[in-house]
């Protein structure tokens, strides 16, 4: 787990899949950063193309050189954010030797990601329903894959007697509860909060283990 930092983190959106290191790449990244900030602060519908262009230091027409619409910008952010989170979850699980370690890793690191990338996370978690049906289906598939990874960790813990879940609820309901704890970080986190990413991650990891009746 990374060491606490003395300055608040900033959100740096991952470059969308398919983008290369061409001369326009820095402009695309500026647009994504500006979109993430605007969507996180105002919400998708209240954000205008002019807001995004201004944040990126471009004219409104400059947005359309790289993205066909405001929705395409949202999709680029949503897809790259979900892909980044999915990679993080896989790595966190692979580095744990037991279900307990895996669950603690997932909760800690995913919580940290929601702090460090809080603007992107807020967009990823709360604005994806504004996507077109086709784009939303692609993002939803990534969300289902993330949920399946957490459920698999819980199933392994239940199978070896490490975890205990509520009768009738099963791993699906428990995974939903655990991921809800993490997702909510994007809603309430602000750089003015003095708790570090590592501290927030450690708290949520401890809560998760307590929820499934495991000791770390």
């Amino acid at each position: 787990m990374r060491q606490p930092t003395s300055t608040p983190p900033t959100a740096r959106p991952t470059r969308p899949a398919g983008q290369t290191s061409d001369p326009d790449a820095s402009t695309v990244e500026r647009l994504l950063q500006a979109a993430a900030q605007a969507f996180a602060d105002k919400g998708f519908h209240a954000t205008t193309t002019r807001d995004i262009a201004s944040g990126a230091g471009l004219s409104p027409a400059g947005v359309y050189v790289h993205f066909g619409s405001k929705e395409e910008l949202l999709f680029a952010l949503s897809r790259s954010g979900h892909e980044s989170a999915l990679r993080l979850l896989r790595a966190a699980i692979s580095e744990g030797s037991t279900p307990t370690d895996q669950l603690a890793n997932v909760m800690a690191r995913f919580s940290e990601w929601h702090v460090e990338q809080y603007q992107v996370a807020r967009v990823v978690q709360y604005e994806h329903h504004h996507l077109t049906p086709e784009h939303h289906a692609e993002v939803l598939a990534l969300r289902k894959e993330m949920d399946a990874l957490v459920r698999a960790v819980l199933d392994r813990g239940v199978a070896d007697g490490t975890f205990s879940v509520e009768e009738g609820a099963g791993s699906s309901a428990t995974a939903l509860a655990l991921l809800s704890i993490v997702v909510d970080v994007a809603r309430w986190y602000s750089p003015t909060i003095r708790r570090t990413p590592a501290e927030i991650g450690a708290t949520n990891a401890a809560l998760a283990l307590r929820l499934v009746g495991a000791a770390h």
Side-chain angles (χ1 to χ4, degrees):
M1 191 176 296
R2 58 180 63 82
Q3 294 299 314
T5 57
S6 57
T7 57
T10 56
R12 290 194 295 252
T14 303
R15 185 181 300 168
Q19 294 293 340
T20 62
S21 56
D22 59 64
D24 291 332
S26 63
T27 302
V28 169
E29 290 180 358
R30 292 206 316 274
L31 282 168
L32 289 173
Q33 290 169 359
Q37 181 174 352
F39 292 153
D41 290 347
K42 295 184 175 183
F44 177 75
H45 280 311
T47 296
T48 65
T49 304
R50 185 176 296 276
D51 292 331
I52 297 169
S54 176
L58 300 172
S59 68
V63 175
Y64 296 106
V65 173
H66 304 280
F67 295 94
S69 66
K70 186 175 69 169
E71 189 274 341
E72 284 189 12
L73 261 167
L74 176 62
F75 175 56
L77 280 170
S78 296
R79 181 180 59 185
S80 62
H82 279 88
E83 289 172 343
S84 174
L86 187 56
R87 288 192 297 271
L88 180 148
L89 290 182
R90 287 173 176 154
I93 292 169
S94 69
E95 293 170 15
S97 58
T98 67
T100 297
D101 289 340
Q102 291 170 356
L103 182 58
N105 286 350
V106 163
M107 293 296 291
R109 296 181 192 177
F110 204 20
S111 295
E112 291 177 38
W113 184 87
H114 278 74
V115 174
E116 294 167 342
Q117 304 286 340
Y118 73 97
Q119 289 180 326
V120 173
R122 198 169 292 168
V123 174
V124 164
Q125 300 295 3
Y126 296 108
E127 300 295 329
H128 63 87
H129 55 280
H130 296 302
L131 295 169
T132 64
E134 180 182 0
H135 287 164
H136 188 261
E138 186 172 335
V139 168
L140 186 60
L142 294 171
R143 294 176 75 86
K144 287 180 177 178
E145 192 170 350
M146 293 161 62
D147 180 71
L149 288 173
V150 177
R151 282 191 283 110
V153 172
L154 294 173
D155 288 340
R156 288 193 290 274
V158 170
D160 71 8
T162 305
F163 298 160
S164 174
V165 299
E166 291 294 325
E167 282 292 329
S171 60
S172 295
T174 304
L176 176 62
L178 293 173
L179 288 173
S180 296
I181 292 172
V182 176
V183 167
D184 199 48
V185 172
R187 179 188 60 79
W188 58 257
Y189 180 76
S190 163
T192 60
I193 292 174
R194 294 188 177 275
R195 294 173 66 202
T196 66
E199 289 169 343
I200 293 170
T203 296
N204 287 348
L207 288 172
L209 295 180
R210 210 173 298 166
L211 184 64
V212 297
H216 192 28

